[in-house]
Amino acid sequence: MKQPQPPPLLLSFLFIFLFLFSNITSLTLTPTPSPTSSPSSSSTLDPKQVRALQSLNIPTSKDPCSQPSYHNATVCDTATPFRHLISLTLSNCPSYVALSFTALKSLSTLNTLHLLNCPVPPIRFPPELISSLRSFTALNSLRRVTGAWLSQLQNLTDLTVTNVQVKATGPYVILAHMNNLQSLTISHANLTGSLPGHVHSNLTHIDFSDNHLKGNIPTSITILDTLQSLNLSSNSLSGEIPASIGDLISLKFLSLASNSFSGSIPDSISAISGLVHMDLSSNQLNGTIPKFISQMKNLKHLNLANNNLHGILPFNQSFIQRLEVFNVGGNSNLCYNHSVLSSKLKLGVSPCDKHGMPVSAPSKGSSADDSSDDDYSDGNEDDSKHTKEHHHGPNKFVLGVAITLSSIVFLIVLMIMCAKCCR
């Protein structure tokens, strides 16, 4: 007997079901690649550098390359299978931390090392690290270093040493072989000697503030046409400000404050059109204030206080008000034109008389500006007439009192004499 055949439609449905089931099974059994399983993301820090960080008391429970801590910042390269540190900042180091030679040798891939508030013992740099370092900062760290120790970092482009005692006969000992240096700061370092007679032309920033440097400003500094910032404040520098300072055409920040510079303010400064900050205060500068300063459109900070400058202030009110800092006080022979500037500006200098000299100090209860409505008027003649009208002789009331008292005394003496005669 012939067996019944299944309907064609049922066979079609069965075939489709088996096909779908086989595909679903294959999708379920095949693992989907995880984004974290790529070779680059699985790369971790070199084990030698991990041990070096642990010796510096830097937590390594998390990957220092992906999650640097707030106080100890790290930057890594993208090498495989192990990444390497290229930047390390150590902040607020505990007293027991020491930068061992072994640890630093393991960190020889660093091109940036910053020490902030880390009074660690002196460091002995391995040659590999000396060769790789491009930026070194020691802020209130290392206790004390020598110029010879700093000079070994010959490949630096950026050197910052602040609030660290530096024992050296002068900056040249440090800088002689730093041919690639672009930014230089050695401040609050008790540095002695004179400014270097030769510096490299790549420098854009120089800061020798708060040291004990002596002598004048050498030509080597004034020919740096790429220099943008020059801070020589709070030293013992002397002599005149060289006229060649006008060759610093890229300069934006200039501070020569708190030295012993003498002479006049060079007219060549007018060539530095981009100057924003100029501080020449607390020196022995003399002469008048150049008029070109009022034409320096980018200037925001001007401090000429505590010098021996004299004459009439060559600035109008609009120039002074657009400045963020303006100070000319402490120049006893400097004065301002009352018809141009208001006393409300509180300039720290007196108004001028008609001869362009400071008027005498105002009497108590009156202001200097009440002495004259126009500093250049002929008001002195009226003042002299006014004075004469009020000084014709002694006051009449005082004279009358004196005569009365004299008469009384005379009568008393006369009565006593009469009484003696009657006896």
Side-chain angles (χ1 to χ4, degrees):
M1 187 174 180
K2 192 176 181 180
Q3 295 292 331
Q5 295 295 325
L9 184 62
L10 181 62
L11 290 174
S12 300
F13 276 121
L14 181 61
F15 176 77
I16 293 172
F17 175 77
L18 291 174
F19 176 78
L20 292 176
F21 179 78
S22 62
N23 280 279
I24 292 172
T25 305
S26 63
L27 289 173
T28 305
L29 297 177
T30 304
T32 303
S34 171
T36 59
S37 63
S38 62
S40 60
S41 61
S42 63
S43 177
T44 57
L45 186 63
D46 188 323
K48 292 182 179 180
Q49 296 196 338
V50 171
R51 290 193 291 271
L53 292 181
Q54 290 171 344
S55 71
L56 299 176
N57 199 42
I58 298 177
T60 55
S61 56
K62 297 180 180 180
D63 185 1
C65 293
S66 61
Q67 293 181 329
S69 64
Y70 176 75
H71 291 293
N72 301 299
T74 54
V75 178
C76 303
D77 61 17
T78 58
T80 57
F82 297 117
R83 302 177 70 179
H84 301 91
L85 289 172
I86 58 175
S87 178
L88 175 63
T89 299
L90 301 180
S91 303
N92 304 315
C93 305
S95 57
Y96 54 82
V97 168
L99 297 176
S100 69
F101 182 85
T102 303
L104 291 175
K105 189 172 183 179
S106 298
L107 299 174
S108 60
T109 56
L110 288 174
N111 55 46
T112 298
L113 178 59
H114 294 168
L115 305 177
L116 313 178
N117 298 313
C118 286
V120 295
I123 302 173
R124 185 164 70 94
F125 278 148
E128 299 88 348
L129 184 57
I130 290 175
S131 178
S132 65
L133 272 183
R134 297 296 181 269
S135 176
F136 178 74
T137 295
L139 175 60
N140 195 29
S141 303
L142 295 179
R143 299 174 187 167
R144 188 175 184 178
V145 298
T146 64
W149 184 87
L150 286 172
S151 67
Q152 66 182 323
L153 305 176
Q154 297 181 10
N155 292 330
L156 292 182
T157 59
D158 183 348
L159 172 62
T160 301
V161 179
T162 300
N163 283 329
V164 179
Q165 296 298 304
V166 178
K167 185 179 180 181
T169 55
Y172 183 74
V173 174
I174 302 169
L175 307 175
H177 301 291
M178 293 187 180
N179 300 329
N180 301 318
L181 204 60
Q182 297 177 11
S183 178
L184 169 65
T185 297
I186 303 178
S187 62
H188 301 271
N190 203 31
L191 188 62
T192 59
S194 57
L195 293 171
H198 174 73
V199 290
H200 298 287
S201 58
N202 297 323
L203 282 165
T204 59
H205 174 92
I206 296 177
D207 184 351
F208 283 124
S209 61
D210 288 278
N211 285 295
H212 300 290
L213 298 175
K214 297 181 179 180
N216 54 17
I217 299 177
T219 306
S220 58
I221 289 180
T222 62
I223 62 174
L224 299 176
D225 56 4
T226 60
L227 193 66
Q228 298 179 17
S229 176
L230 177 61
N231 188 353
L232 304 177
S233 62
S234 299
N235 279 283
S236 299
L237 300 170
S238 57
E240 295 187 356
I241 300 174
S244 57
I245 200 166
D247 294 336
L248 301 176
I249 55 176
S250 301
L251 205 62
K252 292 179 172 58
F253 180 102
L254 173 64
S255 180
L256 306 179
S258 300
N259 281 285
S260 298
F261 290 114
S262 57
S264 59
I265 300 173
D267 290 338
S268 62
I269 294 179
S270 61
I272 313 175
S273 58
L275 198 61
V276 175
H277 179 117
M278 181 165 68
D279 190 346
L280 307 179
S281 63
S282 299
N283 280 286
Q284 300 168 15
L285 298 175
N286 52 45
T288 58
I289 298 177
K291 294 182 180 180
F292 70 78
I293 294 179
S294 62
Q295 300 171 359
M296 302 181 77
K297 297 180 180 180
N298 294 304
L299 200 63
K300 296 296 181 184
H301 181 122
L302 178 62
N303 191 347
L304 304 175
N306 301 317
N307 280 288
N308 298 319
L309 300 170
H310 65 266
I312 304 169
L313 204 61
F315 307 134
N316 57 33
Q317 193 153 329
S318 61
F319 170 77
I320 294 174
Q321 288 180 334
R322 74 174 173 81
L323 295 176
E324 296 174 2
V325 173
F326 178 73
N327 192 353
V328 292
N331 292 281
S332 58
N333 292 320
L334 192 66
C335 59
Y336 68 92
N337 185 343
H338 182 267
S339 63
V340 175
L341 297 173
S342 169
S343 61
K344 294 180 180 180
L345 292 175
K346 297 181 180 179
L347 303 173
V349 295
S350 300
C352 302
D353 61 17
K354 69 175 183 178
H355 302 292
M357 298 295 293
V359 298
S360 58
S363 60
K364 188 177 181 180
S366 64
S367 65
D369 300 313
D370 294 336
S371 62
S372 174
D373 291 333
D374 186 350
D375 296 312
Y376 299 92
S377 66
D378 294 330
N380 287 2
E381 295 180 3
D382 295 336
D383 291 341
S384 61
K385 291 179 182 178
H386 184 73
T387 303
K388 291 178 181 178
E389 290 175 2
H390 286 81
H391 292 83
H392 292 301
N395 187 282
K396 293 181 179 179
F397 174 77
V398 175
L399 185 61
V401 172
I403 294 173
T404 302
L405 291 175
S406 300
S407 301
I408 293 173
V409 172
F410 176 75
L411 289 174
I412 292 173
V413 173
L414 182 62
M415 289 174 64
I416 293 173
M417 293 179 64
C418 292
K420 289 182 177 180
C421 293
C422 291
R423 292 178 184 175

